[in-house]
């Protein structure tokens, strides 16, 4: 195997991923970024390595072989890269992840980090719920964003909660983040000042068309019924009784905006800007839910 630079190895790896037709969307959006992630991880280099400075660094034949094997594993298994590296990043924060939970990528993380929803909160915001917490990433981010709040992370999956517990401990938040097994809001009396929810919202037609990478994730975290709104309908019925008077609910519905509007045409919501547009995350007040 001939000598190859780090830049050359990344280029070759990206070409291999492109040729294989893998799908992205679990932390990267293209073959080059995915190749950077996998190569740097396999070489034990930080993911924020300055590629311009390191571009001409020589990669040994053994290192090339190790990276090539990882790229081939990504291709043959069609598992998201995060499942192979056991790590995902959200708003610059590192989280453990494995196949027991969906790969964290919620756009709600953006509105937590940039202060978008702060105008709806106050000094009285002390109890936060992350419903459908998965690996616990939003619960952790909420606790990091607001040091004065207590956070409950809830999920129907015991497997996901086991992964969430790893992340709560990883960020030393055991005193402020409690994890609860719950089917929706069934065992969560509240009241909560803020509910965050990235629910299963993928409609059946979209589920049928998902690439293999998404099918590697727990179906329970994705499938939302024929129109994607099964979980959301029950949530809207149950939430007002679990919210404080000025409580708000922040909900991600991804690409299902048409189904959301069709299901709740009269509901007054505030759409929040994210990197994916202004029609994928919304905020609803308790008052609006009661009127609905």
């Amino acid at each position: 195997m001939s000598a190859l630079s780090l830049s050359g190895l990344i280029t070759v790896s990206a070409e291999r991923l492109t040729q294989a037709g893998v799908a992205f969307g679990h932390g990267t959006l293209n073959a080059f970024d995915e190749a950077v992630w996998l190569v740097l991880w396999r070489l034990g280099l930080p993911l924020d390595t300055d590629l311009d400075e390191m571009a001409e660094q020589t990669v040994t034949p053994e290192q090339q072989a190790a990276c090539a094997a990882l790229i081939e594993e990504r291709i043959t298994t069609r598992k998201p890269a995060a499942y192979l590296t056991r790590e995902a990043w959200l708003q610059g924060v590192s989280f453990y992840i494995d196949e027991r939970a969906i790969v964290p990528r919620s756009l709600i993380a953006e509105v937590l980090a940039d202060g978008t929803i702060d105008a709806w909160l106050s000094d009285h915001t002390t109890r936060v719920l992350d419903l459908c917490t998965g690996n616990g990433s939003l619960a952790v981010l909420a606790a990091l964003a607001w040091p004065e709040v207590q956070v409950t992370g809830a999920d129907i999956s015991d497997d996901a909660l086991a992964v969430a517990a790893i992340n709560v401990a990883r960020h030393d938040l055991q005193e402020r983040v409690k994890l609860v097994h719950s089917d929706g809001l069934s065992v969560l009396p509240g009241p909560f000042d803020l509910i965050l929810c990235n629910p299963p919202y993928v409609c059946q037609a979209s589920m049928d068309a998902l690439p293999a990478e998404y099918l590697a994730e727990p179906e329970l975290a994705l499938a939302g019924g024929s129109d994607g709104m099964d979980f959301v309908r029950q949530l809207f019925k149950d939430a007002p009784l679990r919210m404080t008077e000025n409580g708000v609910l922040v909900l991600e519905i991804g690409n299902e905006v048409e189904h959301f509007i069709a299901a709740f045409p009269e509901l007054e919501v505030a759409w929040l800007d994210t990197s994916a547009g202004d029609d994928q995350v919304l905020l609803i007040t308790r008052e609006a839910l009661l009127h609905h």
Side-chain angles (χ1 to χ4, degrees):
M1 189 176 291
S2 60
L4 199 63
S5 68
L6 177 61
S7 176
L9 179 57
I10 290 172
T11 298
V12 168
S13 300
E15 290 173 350
R16 181 73 187 98
L17 291 170
T18 299
Q19 292 166 358
V22 301
F24 307 105
H26 293 88
T28 66
L29 298 176
N30 57 70
F32 180 81
D33 288 347
E34 186 109 342
V36 169
W37 180 5
L38 291 172
V39 167
L40 291 179
W41 179 80
R42 177 52 79 201
L43 296 180
L45 296 171
L47 296 187
D48 60 355
T49 293
D50 189 326
L51 294 180
D52 290 332
E53 285 187 6
M54 300 282 288
E56 299 310 314
Q57 176 176 313
T58 300
V59 182
T60 68
E62 292 78 15
Q63 289 174 320
Q64 292 179 47
C67 289
L70 181 60
I71 294 295
E72 289 307 310
E73 184 180 5
R74 170 71 177 86
I75 291 167
T76 56
T77 66
R78 284 308 202 259
K79 290 182 179 180
Y83 284 160
L84 303 180
T85 66
R86 293 291 191 250
E87 186 174 42
W89 294 78
L90 206 55
Q91 293 298 308
V93 179
S94 170
F95 295 98
Y96 173 82
I97 187 63
D98 63 35
E99 289 87 345
R100 293 175 291 175
I102 191 173
V103 176
R105 53 187 178 273
S106 176
L107 294 165
I108 293 175
E110 295 181 13
V111 302
L112 290 181
D114 65 17
T116 296
I117 64 175
D118 287 1
W120 282 274
L121 310 179
S122 72
D123 293 340
H124 300 292
T125 303
T126 59
R127 299 190 65 191
V128 176
L129 170 65
D130 175 25
L131 186 60
C132 307
T133 194
N135 83 322
S137 52
L138 292 182
V140 167
L141 290 176
L144 294 176
W146 303 303
E148 69 282 1
V149 307
Q150 293 292 316
V151 182
T152 299
D155 206 289
I156 193 173
S157 168
D158 286 328
D159 280 346
L161 289 170
V163 178
I166 294 172
N167 285 310
V168 171
R170 183 174 187 164
H171 294 282
D172 196 24
L173 290 169
Q174 298 94 320
E175 297 299 315
R176 295 181 44 229
V177 179
K178 178 177 69 172
L179 298 175
V180 178
H181 179 277
S182 181
D183 182 355
L185 291 166
S186 60
V187 301
L188 299 166
F192 298 101
D193 304 299
L194 170 64
I195 298 176
L196 309 172
C197 186
N198 179 25
Y201 58 68
V202 182
C203 72
Q204 189 57 54
S206 296
M207 286 294 298
D208 293 341
L210 284 178
E213 282 80 356
Y214 292 85
L215 299 178
E217 297 182 292
E219 182 180 354
L220 188 66
L222 296 171
S226 60
D227 68 349
M229 295 297 121
D230 285 1
F231 186 95
V232 177
R233 287 187 180 88
Q234 191 62 47
L235 173 62
F236 285 175
K237 291 178 182 177
D238 297 339
L241 293 177
R242 273 82 166 187
M243 299 168 72
T244 54
E245 182 179 356
N246 296 311
V248 294
L249 166 64
V250 175
L251 179 73
E252 178 170 331
I253 50 95
N255 294 318
E256 305 293 347
V257 59
E258 291 183 8
H259 286 137
F260 179 85
I261 293 174
F264 312 104
E266 305 300 325
L267 182 61
E268 182 180 350
V269 306
W271 293 97
L272 307 178
D273 285 327
T274 71
S275 60
D278 60 1
D279 60 358
Q280 302 206 10
V281 175
L282 54 108
L283 181 146
I284 316 166
T285 65
R286 178 177 182 269
E287 183 180 3
L289 286 173
L290 287 173
H291 286 164
H292 174 70

